[in-house]
């Protein structure tokens, strides 16, 4: 029984088989993205919490560099490093003074956070595409399988349910597979978007204190202007 049913699937219409193959590839891609994103977003939030706790204590320039290097994979650390390097470049080229650094930090740091967040979320549109397209690919396979089943039925003189049911059920498998691929992708996409908002809320809540810290450290390192 199982072998005959499997033969109905593998000996089906080429379009039907192609749709199943595409869905299998999409499922593998989807679960690869899901597993990577789960590990990455949990690590990101955990390390961001830890870095913010470090920043909340009395931070010297040496400690600041140590913390940034220790958590250099986090979005916050990368944004702070990029902002700090930009400040140094602008200051070196006399575009800004040390006292003006806070204004520049206020503009640059949120921009870097937004860009880095977008880079870390670049795989999410793929999940959204899979969740939207998989049911239709499955439906296409079902339609193709049903056409084949109806064609066979049309050539029969005596149509019985036990004869046509296997072909119809085999055709409907494609729709089931499409939903099986789409549902985890959709749920995961919404979960990751929620986690993104959690991370952004955490960063925005502490953004002002980070800007003040970065400004004070940058200002103190430029002793020439400080002494003037």
């Amino acid at each position: 029984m199982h072998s005959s049913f499997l033969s109905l699937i593998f000996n089906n219409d080429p379009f039907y088989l192609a749709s199943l193959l595409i869905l299998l590839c999409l499922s593998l891609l989807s679960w690869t993205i899901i597993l990577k994103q789960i590990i990455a977003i949990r690590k990101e939030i955990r390390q961001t919490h830890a870095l913010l706790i470090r920043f909340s204590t009395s931070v010297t320039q040496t400690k600041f560099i140590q913390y940034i290097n220790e958590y250099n994979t986090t979005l916050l650390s990368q944004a702070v490093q990029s902002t700090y390097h930009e400040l140094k470049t602008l200051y070196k080229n006399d575009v800004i003074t040390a006292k003006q650094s806070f204004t520049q930090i206020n503009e640059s740091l949120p921009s870097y956070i937004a860009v880095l967040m977008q880079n870390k979320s670049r795989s999410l549109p793929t999940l959204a595409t899979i969740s939207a397209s998989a049911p239709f690919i499955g439906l296409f396979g079902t339609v193709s399988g049903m056409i084949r089943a109806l064609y066979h039925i049309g050539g029969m003189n005596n149509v019985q349910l036990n004869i046509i049911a296997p072909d119809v059920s085999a055709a409907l498998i494609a729709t089931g597979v499409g939903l099986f691929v789409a549902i985890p992708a959709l749920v995961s996409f919404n979960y990751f978007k929620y986690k993104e908002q959690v991370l952004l809320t955490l960063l925005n809540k502490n953004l002002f204190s980070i800007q003040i810290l970065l400004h004070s450290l940058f200002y103190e390192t430029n002793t020439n202007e400080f002494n003037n």
Side-chain angles (χ1 to χ4, degrees), residues 160-179:
Q160 296 179 357
L161 184 61
N162 63 338
I163 297 176
I164 64 172
D167 283 332
V168 173
S169 60
L172 290 173
I173 284 177
T175 297
V177 173
L179 293 174

Side-chain angles (χ1 to χ4, degrees), residues 92-172:
K92 184 179 180 180
N93 295 328
D94 296 325
V95 177
I96 62 170
T97 64
K99 291 181 179 180
Q100 295 171 331
S101 62
F102 185 77
T103 302
Q104 187 63 40
I105 293 169
N106 193 38
E107 294 176 359
S108 299
L109 187 57
S111 298
Y112 281 118
I113 289 175
V115 170
L116 289 168
M117 179 65 78
Q118 187 175 11
N119 289 338
K120 287 181 179 291
S121 304
R122 62 183 178 272
S123 60
L124 294 189
T126 303
L127 278 182
T129 302
I130 291 173
S131 67
S133 61
F136 292 103
I137 295 172
L139 182 61
F140 176 79
T142 294
V143 170
S144 178
M146 288 297 294
I147 290 173
R148 177 179 180 273
L150 292 173
Y151 178 79
H152 286 165
I153 292 171
M156 297 178 183
N157 294 324
N158 185 18
V159 178
Q160 296 179 357
L161 184 61
N162 63 338
I163 297 176
I164 64 172
D167 283 332
V168 173
S169 60
L172 290 173

Side-chain angles (χ1 to χ4, degrees), residues 25-44:
C25 294
L26 290 179
S27 180
L28 292 174
L29 176 60
S30 174
W31 280 106
T32 300
I33 293 173
I34 289 169
L35 294 175
K36 284 184 176 180
Q37 282 292 117
I38 287 176
I39 295 171
I41 195 66
R42 288 182 176 178
K43 181 181 177 182
E44 182 73 34

